[in-house]
Amino acid sequence: MSAHRLRWLGATALLLLVAVPMLWTALEALRSGSQPAAWRALRQEPPLWHALALTLWTGLASTLLAWWGAAALLAQGFVRQGLARLLRGLPLMLATPHAALAIGLLFLLSPSGWLLRGFSPWLTGFESPPPWPTTQDPWGLGLVLALVAKEIPFLLWTAATQLQRDDVRQRWRAEHALAQTLGYAPQRAFWLVLWPQLAVRLRWPLLAVLAYGLTVVDMALVIGPAAPPTLAVMAWQWLQDVDPATYAQGAAAGVWLALLVLACSALWVGLQGVLRRALAHGRGRRGRTAGASLPARAGLGLLVGLYAAVLLALAVGSVSGVWAFPAVWPQSWTLAAWQQVALSSRTAWTTLWLAAGSSAIALVWSVAWLELAPRRWDTAARPVLYLPLVLPAVLWVVGLYGVGLQLRLEGQASGLLLAHTLMVLPYVLLALSPAYLGFDTRCAQLNASLGHGSARFLWRVKWPLLRRSLASAAAVGFAVSVAQYLPTLYLGAGRFASVTTEAVTLASGGQRSLTSAYAGLQIALPLLAFALAAWLGRPRRFRHAGAP
């Protein structure tokens, strides 16, 4: 059998291995949420339209602010040739799961939180927490803040994977320099020449951010509005009910969310086209973009400061004992929370093996797919492979649960691993694709001219040169798995608990120290994965033959 035919068969097997469960999950979810009686009951829910309006507001506002913030920071970093400095703190931000960030913000911004304690009672006069809706506010501002803070680093990181490609970076640097010779200021040259090209490459990450903002559950449970909540939280609450009719209503709400994501995505893509045309018409107006760099620098400082404050709040909260308002610091310190976390080592072990297993499987599959699949196959299959990114989490988990029941995988370790792998795989593929597809093909030609086979080329040349990208993609997959809440909750069937399910559950209670400890562990595990990836991807150092 020829090598071409083997390659074709391998790519077909890889595609079927992932596309079948993904399409099966999506169809099962749509089937569960398409009962006419459930749709009629859903339309008769009094808080439905208020929840829908909150969902649109929080999802669209957070996506727009995150998109603008990431673009402004990229413009500043590219123009000032400071991308490396800009991206230095991204691993820590990416390693912070959504739920942990929301819990930290809750401890900062709540009426009894650290922010108000710092000004009480000497400035505010408060001797007890005021009845202010600073978290879980009815306008969803806390949720918008949390989403923006979490999604800007993700967009920066996905953009960096494009800008760090040697071929792209050199071409864009030349185009940027050429635009400046024509009289454009550096900032304006970036927006007119480079940003339209980069924005097209970031379409899938942007749609993932939009879909997550419209359908988020774990962050909304911690810091989102509560009366009424967003539509995703309402759907999650209905899906918790044992009544089949109420469960079907929750699945129907998930379909509503999917249609909402589809409509908003189409609107967003249309607006991007209008913006590109507006930029094209503005090419004749040269000059400076006044005041663009200062807000970007201030925005970066605010983002870094916010993450530092969240981490400090969680660290202090995890070892706090008695901490009465308005004291800035705890009156007593204790390690009881961490001792309790250490006693529940099974939870940490479950999180570790799920994250390590799912990220390893996703990385192996992604490498095999990018190596074997023709480019046109890859382009055509991306919408299917990215289904977990753009489908609402509550709807996706309904499909996963239905598939798990049919395959008798509910409450089984294999079913939970399958669910995590399907959620992790799109992120790993998204992270690895720019570097892998941008690899210089001349290296393969040179390898062949020296008489070496393709296997030797992969092991001795290509994969060693791509080890930084491979390690980073695996770390991203690890972090995504650690952050999974709904798949663990549903497919685990109560038999498997992770640090995320424990942290989100505890956030609704009053155990500040234990909640902080679990949130801290939720951050520490992905951070260790990113640290290991940085160590594995460090540049190789060569010594001269005569050096000691």
Side-chain angles (χ1 to χ4, degrees):
M1 188 177 292
S2 65
H4 178 74
R5 186 172 180 83
L6 282 174
R7 185 185 182 116
W8 184 86
L9 289 175
T12 303
L14 288 170
L15 182 59
L16 292 176
L17 190 63
V18 169
V20 169
M22 285 192 173
L23 289 174
W24 188 4
T25 299
L27 292 174
E28 181 66 24
L30 293 174
R31 185 194 63 79
S32 300
S34 300
Q35 299 181 21
W39 280 65
R40 287 193 298 269
L42 181 62
R43 289 196 299 268
Q44 294 171 2
E45 284 289 334
L48 174 66
W49 302 109
H50 192 176
L52 190 62
L54 276 173
T55 299
L56 279 170
W57 153 245
T58 54
L60 293 177
S62 61
T63 302
L64 181 62
L65 290 173
W67 186 239
W68 176 83
L73 291 174
L74 282 170
Q76 178 194 352
F78 188 89
V79 169
R80 294 176 175 270
Q81 298 188 12
L83 277 177
R85 186 171 60 255
L86 175 65
L87 303 176
R88 193 172 298 156
L90 278 190
L92 176 59
M93 298 181 187
L94 289 172
T96 304
H98 294 80
L101 178 66
I103 292 170
L105 286 174
L106 181 70
F107 292 158
L108 281 175
L109 304 177
S110 65
S112 61
W114 216 353
L115 185 62
L116 197 57
R117 288 171 182 266
F119 298 97
S120 300
W122 61 274
L123 182 60
T124 64
F126 294 132
E127 295 288 347
S128 60
W132 291 353
T134 52
T135 55
Q136 294 189 322
D137 59 285
W139 312 283
L141 298 179
L143 180 58
V144 170
L145 173 64
L147 286 169
V148 171
K150 194 66 186 76
E151 301 304 353
I152 284 179
F154 173 70
L155 290 173
L156 284 175
W157 177 77
T158 52
T161 60
Q162 298 288 342
L163 293 171
Q164 288 174 347
R165 287 177 51 175
D166 290 336
D167 56 337
V168 172
R169 183 175 64 250
Q170 293 174 7
R171 177 165 57 86
W172 285 359
R173 282 290 180 194
E175 292 176 359
H176 187 254
L178 179 60
Q180 292 179 71
T181 63
L182 297 176
Y184 293 101
Q187 284 275 349
R188 189 161 184 80
F190 175 88
W191 290 109
L192 290 178
V193 178
L194 303 183
W195 178 246
Q197 301 180 64
L198 182 58
V200 172
R201 294 170 179 255
L202 297 180
R203 177 170 295 176
W204 280 111
L206 174 63
L207 293 182
V209 168
L210 176 61
Y212 187 84
L214 290 169
T215 64
V216 60
V217 174
D218 50 357
M219 294 185 88
L221 285 171
V222 175
I223 202 171
T230 59
L231 184 57
V233 174
M234 287 179 64
W236 175 81
Q237 292 171 346
W238 290 328
L239 289 171
Q240 296 293 303
D241 202 297
V242 296
D243 179 31
T246 307
Y247 181 88
Q249 186 174 325
V255 176
W256 273 48
L257 283 170
L259 295 175
L260 188 66
V261 169
L262 182 62
C264 291
S265 300
L267 176 63
W268 193 276
V269 171
L271 288 176
Q272 277 192 302
V274 172
L275 181 59
R276 283 198 298 272
R277 288 193 292 272
L279 285 173
H281 289 308
R283 287 180 187 273
R285 295 193 295 272
R286 301 184 179 118
R288 294 187 175 274
T289 308
S293 60
L294 182 60
R297 288 198 296 272
L300 180 60
L302 286 174
L303 187 64
V304 173
L306 181 64
Y307 272 84
V310 165
L311 294 176
L312 184 59
L314 292 176
V316 173
S318 67
V319 293
S320 64
V322 178
W323 196 358
F325 189 90
V328 177
W329 297 100
Q331 282 89 356
S332 63
W333 305 85
T334 176
L335 293 176
W338 285 106
Q339 291 170 355
Q340 191 169 342
V341 169
L343 291 175
S344 60
S345 57
R346 183 178 178 183
T347 300
W349 170 245
T350 299
T351 306
L352 276 172
W353 72 257
L354 273 175
S358 59
S359 58
I361 294 172
L363 181 64
V364 170
W365 186 93
S366 299
V367 169
W369 172 255
L370 293 173
E371 193 63 43
L372 296 177
R375 188 64 62 90
R376 64 181 184 277
W377 282 35
D378 183 49
T379 303
R382 289 291 170 130
V384 176
L385 300 177
Y386 288 160
L387 275 176
L389 291 181
V390 295
L391 280 181
V394 287
L395 183 62
W396 182 256
V397 81
V398 166
L400 279 176
Y401 188 68
V403 172
L405 286 177
Q406 295 179 42
L407 296 178
R408 297 183 179 180
L409 295 176
E410 181 205 13
Q412 302 295 323
S414 56
L416 196 54
L417 180 61
L418 173 63
H420 275 243
T421 302
L422 291 180
M423 294 299 299
V424 163
L425 190 144
Y427 288 94
V428 173
L429 184 62
L430 193 64
L432 188 59
S433 293
Y436 212 96
L437 296 178
F439 191 81
D440 195 343
T441 56
R442 292 175 297 180
C443 294
Q445 297 169 1
L446 179 60
N447 177 80
S449 68
L450 295 174
H452 299 306
S454 58
R456 184 180 178 87
F457 169 69
L458 291 175
W459 283 104
R460 301 296 298 273
V461 180
K462 188 172 186 177
W463 290 344
L465 290 176
L466 290 174
R467 63 177 180 170
R468 181 179 181 181
S469 299
L470 292 169
S472 298
V476 169
F478 189 97
V480 170
S481 176
V482 169
Q484 291 307 307
Y485 174 65
L486 289 180
T488 308
L489 200 66
Y490 277 80
L491 270 296
R495 301 180 186 177
F496 297 91
S498 69
V499 293
T500 299
T501 59
E502 293 294 314
V504 174
T505 302
L506 290 168
S508 59
Q511 302 183 65
R512 177 192 293 266
S513 58
L514 189 57
T515 305
S516 299
Y518 269 105
L521 181 60
Q522 196 187 10
I523 296 173
L525 294 178
L527 189 59
L528 290 174
F530 276 101
L532 179 61
W535 181 77
L536 291 174
R538 69 193 188 283
R540 296 178 63 184
R541 296 180 181 274
F542 298 95
R543 293 186 302 179
H544 295 293

